[in-house]
Amino acid sequence: MSMDATEILHTAEICIGDRAASRDQPDGERSMARTVAAFNALTGHRLSERDGWLFMVTLKAARAATPGGRHNADDYVDMCAYAALTGECAERVA
């Protein structure tokens, strides 16, 4: 299946909505703040929620760039969704 840029973005939007529904949270599934708080407590690091979302963008970019790896559209869909969540977080704390 081949997707153009708008289809990738639309699929990312659907994924964000689906996660909200599956986690049954009124404001959507936003567990990154809890995730980085736990990570920071375990490691002594001082990551922010925004750093956590950027980490996920980087993870998906690294997977997409795997030498010799097969194309997986999910990498790009998730990358878009995580980038949007990073922007949402940055807007909230600005």
Side-chain angles (χ1 to χ4, degrees):
M1 177 175 107
S2 176
M3 292 194 289
D4 65 20
T6 57
E7 290 170 315
I8 291 170
L9 288 169
H10 180 67
T11 303
E13 178 185 24
I14 291 168
C15 287
I16 290 173
D18 286 351
R19 297 245 168 78
S22 69
R23 301 293 182 197
D24 197 28
Q25 298 295 310
D27 295 329
E29 195 279 317
R30 302 293 187 276
S31 58
M32 188 57 72
R34 291 188 312 277
T35 302
V36 296
F39 178 84
N40 289 341
L42 290 168
T43 65
H45 286 75
R46 299 185 72 168
L47 294 178
S48 68
E49 180 183 358
R50 183 179 142 285
D51 293 337
W53 290 122
L54 285 172
F55 181 91
M56 296 305 293
V57 171
T58 305
L59 171 70
K60 287 300 186 165
R63 286 181 178 170
T66 300
R70 290 186 312 167
H71 167 70
N72 185 344
D74 180 66
D75 292 334
Y76 301 95
V77 169
D78 285 352
M79 204 181 317
C80 288
Y82 290 133
L85 291 163
T86 304
E88 175 186 273
C89 179
E91 287 289 326
R92 191 175 58 250
V93 298

